[in-house]
Amino acid sequence: MKKIYGNEYLLGTLSSMIESGRTAHSIIFYGEKGSGRKLMAQSYTARLLCESPVHGEPCGICRSCKNVNSGSHPDVIYVPKEGKLESYSVKTARAVINDAFVKPNNNKGIKVYIFADCRDMSVITQNTLLKLIEEPPEYAYFIFTAESKYEFLPTIISRCICLGVSPCSESDAVRALTESGFGKEEIAAAVSCFHGNIGRCTDYIVDEELRAHVDLTKRVADSIIKRDEYSLNASFYSIGSNRTNIREILSMMDRLVRDAAVLSQDSEAKTVGCCREAAVKLAEIITAYQAVNVHNVIEKARVAVDANISAPLVLAALCAEIMNITS
């Protein structure tokens, strides 16, 4: 299994569950994209199915561990998404319910369902799954991953163990990327953008599109700093209509604005966004109050994009609102 850095307390909690025999049948792993929530879900799955766990940790060499790590275990079901918005449908939820009552065929007598990236899972779908999560077959386990546990209804949250997955320290990220064979310069560039988020740092190095998104986010920030509405409109227009790309850039913008708000109060504060220099310049031209208002309009735009409202209209409105707040 891929090595997990940081999150020692969380890993210890999972091992304790296995050693004590008090395993959670429903877990939500939540954390920012790239923090390792999917890897943590795989780690818990391997612990559940390992034929020879060592102090609650998977051995990594038994057939079950190898099958889990390769994604080929017949009793580990990665639940598929459907439709234009790539979400979990009621039809899929009902299929899981039916399949959950088919007993597994492995030595541990365990079956695992993984719902990855549960962004905006509909209320109807969650309510369809509620009874199964509340009273699962003794052999069935359900693992959900999401950016926030509040993606789920309170009734779902109350029936799950919710475990937060945190990014690592920047030194851990450097060590992980070095052990992966990346060069010093590309590691330094990645860590300066995504800090201790190893997944995002790795993506930055290998994914040209993500590097382009970071550059575009910096151009957006520069347009705000210069109060250049035309340039800001042009930058937004260049994003296109791909909603995944829009969400990503809005998220990176939001982090820069957060950094500006913090830096306006403490110039030595630690930043979390993709460009400290841009955040410092933003902090010089907007107050913390304005930063909060910019955050609010970014969040409103993100909700509109998720609601399938015309992306160009959303971004045009966002441009006007940002200019109004910062002028």
Side-chain angles (χ1 to χ4, degrees):
M1 177 177 290
K2 191 174 180 180
K3 184 176 179 179
I4 298 177
Y5 296 82
N7 288 285
E8 288 86 1
Y9 179 79
L10 176 51
L11 291 169
T13 299
L14 299 182
S15 295
S16 295
M17 286 184 185
I18 300 299
E19 283 195 291
S20 67
R22 296 179 179 177
T23 51
H25 280 259
S26 299
I27 286 188
I28 296 172
F29 289 110
Y30 63 93
E32 65 183 50
K33 183 177 181 180
S35 59
R37 57 184 192 246
K38 292 180 185 176
L39 190 58
M40 204 64 73
Q42 185 186 44
S43 178
Y44 185 54
T45 300
R47 283 167 160 79
L48 289 170
L49 287 162
C50 179
E51 297 167 13
S52 305
V54 181
H55 302 303
E57 297 185 11
C59 68
I61 58 175
C62 70
R63 183 174 62 179
S64 288
C65 282
K66 290 179 179 178
N67 286 341
V68 170
N69 294 343
S70 66
S72 60
H73 198 293
D75 290 312
V76 177
I77 297 90
Y78 288 86
V79 182
K81 295 182 177 181
E82 293 183 341
K84 182 179 178 181
L85 298 179
E86 292 190 348
S87 60
Y88 293 107
S89 67
V90 174
K91 178 183 176 182
T92 297
R94 288 172 177 159
V96 168
I97 293 169
N98 290 333
D99 188 72
F101 289 95
V102 178
K103 291 186 177 181
N105 183 25
N106 60 71
N107 293 339
K108 296 299 291 284
I110 286 173
K111 197 171 192 177
V112 182
Y113 295 86
I114 299 176
F115 294 78
D117 294 328
C118 296
R119 181 182 179 85
D120 297 323
M121 182 186 281
S122 73
V123 170
I124 299 174
T125 299
Q126 292 188 55
N127 281 329
T128 302
L129 290 169
L130 182 58
K131 185 67 173 178
L132 179 64
I133 293 170
E134 188 174 28
E135 298 178 4
E138 62 179 11
Y139 51 78
Y141 290 77
F142 304 93
I143 301 176
F144 303 87
T145 72
E147 288 193 24
S148 169
K149 66 180 180 181
Y150 297 111
E151 295 283 352
F152 302 93
L153 296 172
T155 48
I156 295 289
I157 293 172
S158 67
R159 288 160 176 78
C160 295
I161 299 296
C162 299
L163 300 173
V165 184
S166 304
C168 303
S169 66
E170 291 191 3
S171 59
D172 276 340
V174 169
R175 182 160 57 92
L177 295 168
T178 300
E179 291 174 1
S180 294
F182 297 118
K184 288 185 178 180
E185 289 187 5
E186 54 189 1
I187 290 173
V191 172
S192 71
C193 289
F194 293 105
H195 312 284
N197 188 317
I198 296 172
R200 297 294 275 164
C201 285
T202 302
D203 290 343
Y204 181 83
I205 293 172
V206 302
D207 186 351
E208 184 177 350
E209 185 176 46
L210 179 55
R211 293 195 296 274
H213 289 167
V214 170
D215 290 341
L216 180 54
T217 303
K218 292 177 182 178
R219 291 205 302 274
V220 168
D222 188 57
S223 298
I224 297 172
I225 292 164
K226 294 177 179 177
R227 295 187 170 91
D228 186 339
E229 186 169 0
Y230 175 81
S231 175
L232 183 57
N233 254 316
S235 296
F236 280 150
Y237 181 79
S238 69
I239 298 175
S241 58
N242 183 291
R243 295 178 188 278
T244 300
N245 292 345
I246 294 171
R247 289 190 197 100
E248 182 154 70
I249 291 168
L250 290 179
S251 179
M252 286 194 283
M253 281 178 57
D254 203 21
R255 284 173 171 266
L256 282 180
V257 171
R258 172 268 180 202
D259 287 345
V262 172
L263 290 169
S264 69
Q265 305 299 311
D266 178 6
S267 61
E268 300 300 320
K270 184 178 179 180
T271 55
V272 298
C274 64
C275 183
R276 183 181 178 88
E277 181 182 354
V280 169
K281 291 180 180 178
L282 274 174
E284 292 172 355
I285 68 158
I286 63 174
T287 65
Y289 177 75
Q290 288 174 312
V292 170
N293 287 336
V294 173
H295 159 75
N296 289 337
V297 297
I298 290 173
E299 183 60 28
K300 185 171 74 171
R302 189 155 42 194
V303 170
V305 168
D306 289 341
N308 214 22
I309 296 173
S310 169
L313 289 178
V314 171
L315 294 177
L318 177 60
C319 175
E321 289 179 305
I322 289 175
M323 288 293 103
N324 182 54
I325 293 168
T326 59
S327 61

